Amino acid sequence: MAVRAKKQFGQHFLRSSDTARNIADCLPMVCPNCLEIGPGMGILTTQLLEKNINLKVIEIDGESIDYLLANGIIDPSCCIQGDFLKLPMPQFFGGQQFMVMGNFPYNISSQIMFKVVENRDFVPALAGMFQREVARRICSPAGSKEYGILSVLVQAFYDTTYHFTVDEHEFNPPPKVKSGVMSMVRKENYTLPCDEALFFNVVKTSFNQRRKTLSNSLKKILNDNKLDDSIGQKRPEQLSVEEFISLTNTIAEMLTKK
Ligand code: SAH
C-alpha cells in the first residue's frame, strides 16, 4: 500500500533510510520520552524506534496513520491522529517532559517552534528538519542576515546547533527548497532575568518593523519615554539575546517610573 503525498499537509517523504538515521542521530538524548511530529510513512519513526526511548507519533493524515498501523511500524497505543498545533502539549506524555523530533511539515514550521517555546517547561530538547532557511534562522547569531524573531525567542531558552543540509532530491516529491537539520537543548537555567511577557512583546514588535530603528518601532511600548541613542538608533538584527533582555529591563524601569 503506497501513500500518495498530499500538498495540503506539506508532505515530502524522505527516500533514504541513511539520511533518516543521520537525522535521528541528531536528537540529544536528554529525556526518556519523544514525540515525533508527522511520521508520514514512518521512515524516521523506524530509526527512532531503534533508540532506547518511549516514542509516540502524531500525524494529521488518516491515510498515513492507516499505513503505519497496517505495516506494524508502530503500536496503536503510541499513535495519535490529530493536528499537533491544536492539542495541548502536557497531554502527550501525561504531564511528563518529552523531546520533539520530526521531518517537520514546512508550512507550519514557525508555528511548531512558537508552540514549543511557549511550552518550554515540557520540552527539554528538539531535533529535526525544516526548510534550510528556517533551520538556519533558528540557529543564527545576531548580525547575520537570517537572524530574526525565531532566533531570539528560541535562543533565549535553548542552545541550538545546525547539523547538515539535505538536498531536495532526497524527497518524494522533491520540495522547492533545500532542507536543514538542526537540534536544540534547553538551557539549564532557562528563566530569563527580565519580565518574560514584556521580552516577547519587545522582540516581536522590534522585528515586525525590521528596517526601522528601535526608537521608532518600539514607540507604542515606550509610551512617550525615549530610548538612549546608543540603543535606540540600532536595528533589531544587531541585538543579541542578552541585549534584548537588558533592553526589556530598561523599558520595564521606564514604564514603572512614569
Ligand atoms: N516524517 C516523514 C514525513 C514528513 S512530511 C518523512 O520524513 O518522510 C510531514 C508530515 O507531517 C506529513 O506526514 C504530514 O501529513 C504531517 N503533518 C502535517 N501537518 C501536521 C500537523 N499539523 N500535525 C501533525 N502532523 C502533520
Side-chain angles (χ1 to χ4, degrees):
M1 176 169 76
V3 176
R4 200 140 41 95
K6 299 191 188 76
K7 218 173 169 184
Q8 81 267 31
F9 296 139
Q11 290 178 341
H12 295 280
F13 300 120
L14 261 176
R15 292 149 61 123
S16 141
S17 317
D18 286 345
T19 307
R21 185 175 317 112
N22 292 338
I23 298 171
D25 285 345
C26 290
L27 183 63
M29 293 292 174
V30 296
C31 158
N33 302 323
C34 179
L35 179 73
E36 186 193 352
I37 302 174
M41 294 165 77
I43 189 159
L44 188 56
T45 318
T46 309
Q47 297 301 328
L48 290 169
L49 285 167
E50 302 263 311
K51 301 191 182 286
N52 191 17
I53 46 176
N54 304 323
L55 183 69
K56 287 191 182 177
V57 302
I58 176 157
E59 170 59 63
I60 199 167
D61 181 14
E63 209 186 332
S64 288
I65 295 271
D66 291 346
Y67 179 91
L68 294 170
L69 296 178
N71 288 276
I73 294 174
I74 189 155
D75 199 78
S77 64
C78 300
C79 202
I80 306 161
Q81 181 174 357
D83 180 344
F84 169 73
L85 296 177
K86 295 209 174 121
L87 295 176
M89 289 291 256
Q91 87 171 42
F92 289 116
F93 284 89
Q96 292 175 11
Q97 301 195 29
F98 55 94
M99 307 177 287
V100 173
M101 179 87 211
N103 166 15
F104 298 107
Y106 297 171
N107 50 338
I108 54 165
S109 302
S110 302
Q111 294 166 73
I112 291 174
M113 287 306 295
F114 286 131
K115 180 161 179 164
V116 165
V117 168
E118 228 173 81
N119 289 278
R120 54 195 173 275
D121 285 339
F122 290 98
V123 186
L126 171 149
M129 187 147 59
F130 293 98
Q131 176 176 336
R132 180 177 57 178
E133 279 61 38
V134 174
R136 283 215 177 126
R137 185 186 298 284
I138 296 167
C139 303
S140 47
S144 62
K145 87 173 186 304
E146 282 111 353
Y147 190 66
I149 297 182
L150 260 189
S151 333
V152 181
L153 296 188
V154 172
Q155 291 169 31
F157 307 105
Y158 293 88
D159 294 317
T160 61
T161 309
Y162 186 90
H163 293 278
F164 57 91
T165 301
V166 179
D167 194 77
E168 49 273 42
H169 300 296
E170 296 220 28
F171 299 86
N172 181 23
K176 292 205 175 73
V177 291
K178 297 225 181 292
S179 299
V181 178
M182 53 72 61
S183 68
M184 61 199 222
V185 179
R186 196 175 57 201
K187 295 180 178 177
E188 204 147 307
N189 178 0
Y190 62 99
T191 312
L192 300 187
C194 68
D195 176 330
E196 292 190 355
L198 184 60
F199 173 81
F200 276 79
N201 195 1
V202 167
V203 173
K204 286 185 178 163
T205 311
S206 312
F207 278 105
N208 278 342
Q209 294 174 295
R210 203 184 161 94
R211 300 231 174 79
K212 289 199 179 170
T213 62
L214 295 168
S215 284
N216 272 322
S217 56
L218 294 176
K219 259 189 189 135
K220 258 202 217 137
I221 299 182
L222 286 165
N223 243 350
D224 292 340
N225 291 284
K226 266 204 74 133
L227 286 176
D228 221 63
D229 274 355
S230 60
I231 179 109
Q233 288 308 306
K234 288 192 171 168
R235 291 188 166 68
E237 63 269 23
Q238 296 174 279
L239 262 59
S240 65
V241 171
E242 290 68 30
E243 287 170 312
F244 269 112
I245 290 173
S246 101
L247 173 60
T248 304
N249 283 329
T250 307
I251 295 176
E253 222 169 275
M254 285 174 164
L255 294 180
T256 46
K257 271 194 192 143
K258 274 256 154 168

